Amino acid sequence: MSEVAVKGAVKRYGSIAALDGVDLTFADGEFFGLLGPSGSGKTTLLRSIAGFIELDAGEIRIDGTDISRIPVHQRNIGMVFQNYALFPHMSVAENVAFGLDVRNVPASEIRERVGESLDLVRLTGLEARRPKQLSGGQQQRVALARALVTRPKVLLLDEPLSALDKHLRQEMQVELRRIQRQIGITTIFVTHDQEEALTLSDRVAIFNKGQVVQAGAPRTVYQWPVNRFAAGFLGEANFLEGKVVGVLGHEARVAIPDGSEIVVTHQGIANGANVLVALRPEKISIEPGGSQAPRLNRVIGRVQAAIFSGSSLTYRVSVGDRLFVVFEQNKNRAPLVEQSAVTLEWETADNVVVQP
Amino acid sequence: MTPTTRTRWAILTLTGPAYLWLACTIFLPLLAMLALSFLDKSPLVPKPASFTLDNYGAYFSKGFYWPLTLWSIQLGFWVTFFCLLIGYPAAYALAKRIKGRWREAIFLLIVLPFWSNALVRIFSWTMVLRSNGIVDMSVQAMFPGAPSIDLLYSYPAVIIGLTHSYLPYMILTCYIALQAIDDSLMEAGRSLGATAFTTFRRVVLPLSLPGIISGAALIFVPVIGSFMEPRILGGTKGATLGMNIEEQFTVTANWPLGSALSFILLAIVLIIFGILYPFLRKQGGEA
Ligand SMILES: Nc1ncnc2c1ncn2[C@@H]1O[C@H](COP(=O)(O)OP(=O)(O)O)[C@@H](O)[C@H]1O
Ligand SMILES: [Mg+2]
């Protein structure tokens, strides 16, 4: 198994920088999710690692060896394509055997390893089928078996689950994780589905405009987004702009536009500074009534919309001229009616100072 | 009405006119020709005609038909071969390498010969191939003192002319087949450890075989029966069975013999396809 290190990767298409100085290290055996809006360079990075794209600058190392000069077919990389890219004129077994066949592995060993591989993805018994005779999920498994049978150093997946319906996608997520754990292969996974990235990955990197905005464990990135983009892209966030009006140690009081004050914990914060605070909607508690006394981390507002979505409710609450988004678990309480006054409250720890 | 009878009705009403048209325009005349081939006199002769097998017998008894046939078949294979040799790489480049507006421009260049009159096209080849023609003059210009080159009225001239005429078919059918092959299949091949060439051989070629086969069929059949190119570019040397058939209709006015020879040609084509069919099916039918 292997470690992949990308250093200063740059790839330009005309005036667009698809990759604009990307540094990332994918640890041995890690499941790494690349997340970001469409056009942010995720595919370009993946294809550079596979060898389909030559970088303009920077280098990619696998286990310390620079692979820029190694052609695709010698890189020993497993790739699963978005449309699976199964060979339509070959059976399932032939598809899986392809990578071994071109390596001149003896026939008996091929048979054995194809069997193992199909076993791993739980497709035993479908060897003779054509890809067309398989469901989307089964095709996905064949693609995975085909990519893994050559025992590649790295497994690359470019939005592999986006063509599946929701139920199947969740099932395949679990499968993918199980298989990855079982063989312990370094896996780089592109997705634009943030939930998918959070559930599957050991670490994630958020891409924007060819750059890595933030990388880290899903929980860390979610809890401590570094900037507005990261906070807004991974999950939802309320952004509060304010001015520091008092500092005490690492704590600072920040006045927000509606007149109330919140408290943030931050290193080296100066009085009078303008700060941007991200606040997750699920951290806010919402209570009916708007006559509570002013307090830190408390605002009074009016419900503009209450959206019911089964297990939870989403409220849009106007506070001054701002709109707060609040998630609430669907407990045994009558939903708050629109236009009613409400009090929003949260903890100091929930206020995360982020870069604009 | 049940859905199945409704569908059946829909199919019948939708395809009916086409079948009727085909029956009237192809099948009936063909039947008339078949009947004609068993008569001992042309319908032009104002005497009652009677049934005979002589027209078919003539093919086998007269020694010169067999070499003509052989040359026709050879011509079919050569032209198909050269069309494939030139057309497939062109189609590949067009489908897989050239993108955007260039593709349309090059496509236009390929189809352009189709829009010119066939006779004009063939006669312009005589200008190129004759001694003192364009080929000859270019060779003389590059290698002064080289022997004069006169390709006109030779086998190669016929093959060159026919290849030029039929090349677009091969390019178009192969282009369509190659176009349909997703680029990710080729990338998958290479990511699995196959070189570009192995990927081509194991993935692209088998998947584009239906295009090659339909192109070959579209070329082989008319080339075997061709008479215009052989006459103009091959003269007496390039005589084909097609030329002889045409003469039976236009020169000697022996329509029954012409018909009989036509059906023999048809039979030969069918036999050749019958022999190749299992092989082609195995290779291309699965794609
Ligand atoms: N072959 C190409 N030619 C021109 N521009 C490209 C090409 N491939 C990618 N790009 C551009 O590079 C940027 C990054 O693309 P990509 O890596 O595919 O993004 P993502 O996978 O994150 O959606 C986009 O702006 C895209 O338009
Ligand atoms: Mg992409």
Side-chain angles (χ1 to χ4, degrees), chain A residues 145-341:
Chain A
R146 184 180 68 173
L148 291 173
V149 77
T150 58
R151 294 173 190 151
K153 293 183 176 157
V154 191
L155 180 62
L156 306 175
L157 307 116
D158 193 354
E159 310 207 14
L161 307 180
S162 60
L164 303 177
D165 62 53
K166 191 176 174 205
H167 178 73
L168 208 52
R169 190 158 65 227
Q170 286 171 345
E171 188 185 313
M172 277 310 294
Q173 286 172 1
V174 176
E175 278 291 281
L176 203 55
R177 196 67 180 128
R178 172 185 67 79
I179 291 165
Q180 195 267 342
R181 280 277 154 77
Q182 194 169 329
I183 57 179
I185 186 173
T186 313
T187 303
I188 308 174
F189 178 92
V190 168
T191 178
H192 59 240
D193 180 343
Q194 37 160 307
E195 201 179 309
E196 193 168 276
L198 292 180
T199 13
L200 288 176
S201 314
D202 297 317
R203 283 198 300 151
V204 294
I206 299 178
F207 273 67
N208 190 30
K209 295 178 182 157
Q211 292 179 325
V212 175
V213 175
Q214 191 174 4
R219 210 185 166 78
T220 317
V221 177
Y222 185 79
Q223 299 274 54
W224 305 106
V226 293
N227 65 10
R228 189 182 203 124
F229 182 85
F233 191 78
L234 207 60
E236 266 194 80
N238 295 293
F239 293 104
L240 311 173
E241 287 127 352
K243 201 182 207 59
V244 177
V245 292
V247 181
L248 191 68
H250 289 323
E251 289 206 335
R253 275 184 303 128
V254 175
I256 55 174
D258 78 311
S260 44
E261 288 183 5
I262 61 174
V263 182
V264 300
T265 316
H266 198 65
Q267 304 274 352
I269 204 161
N271 220 338
N274 286 316
V275 291
L276 181 65
V277 173
L279 173 63
R280 296 287 183 196
E282 72 275 14
K283 309 280 189 184
I284 302 171
S285 78
I286 183 167
E287 293 298 333
S291 52
Q292 279 88 340
R295 217 197 76 177
L296 293 170
N297 299 328
R298 171 189 280 175
V299 293
I300 311 293
R302 195 169 286 282
V303 175
Q304 292 300 324
I307 301 148
F308 175 71
S309 52
S311 64
S312 66
L313 288 124
T314 302
Y315 291 105
R316 302 200 178 277
V317 179
S318 62
V319 176
D321 56 358
R322 297 202 56 91
L323 214 54
F324 273 63
V325 178
V326 179
F327 296 156
E328 193 194 31
Q329 287 298 310
N330 186 8
K331 302 255 177 63
N332 289 328
R333 180 169 85 181
L336 300 164
V337 289
E338 294 183 7
Q339 293 310 325
S340 64

Side-chain angles (χ1 to χ4, degrees), chain A residues 39 42-44 82 158-159 190:
Chain A
K42 310 178 297 288
T43 297
T44 306
Q82 193 168 358
D158 193 354
E159 310 207 14
V190 168

Side-chain angles (χ1 to χ4, degrees), chain A residues 47 52 72-73 77 79 81 83 85-90 98-99 101-103 130 146, chain B residues 182 184-185 187-196 198-199 202-203 206-207 286-287:
Chain A
R47 292 170 58 80
F52 295 121
V72 178
H73 67 277
I77 271 163
M79 185 142 184
F81 295 80
N83 62 356
L86 298 178
F87 304 130
H89 57 304
M90 298 182 192
F98 186 88
D101 220 7
V102 298
R103 285 173 172 78
R130 299 270 152 169
R146 184 180 68 173
Chain B
D182 200 309
S184 66
L185 291 184
E187 291 181 348
R190 288 201 290 147
S191 77
L192 289 166
T195 58
T198 306
T199 304
R202 302 266 322 253
V203 179
L207 287 176
E286 301 170 344

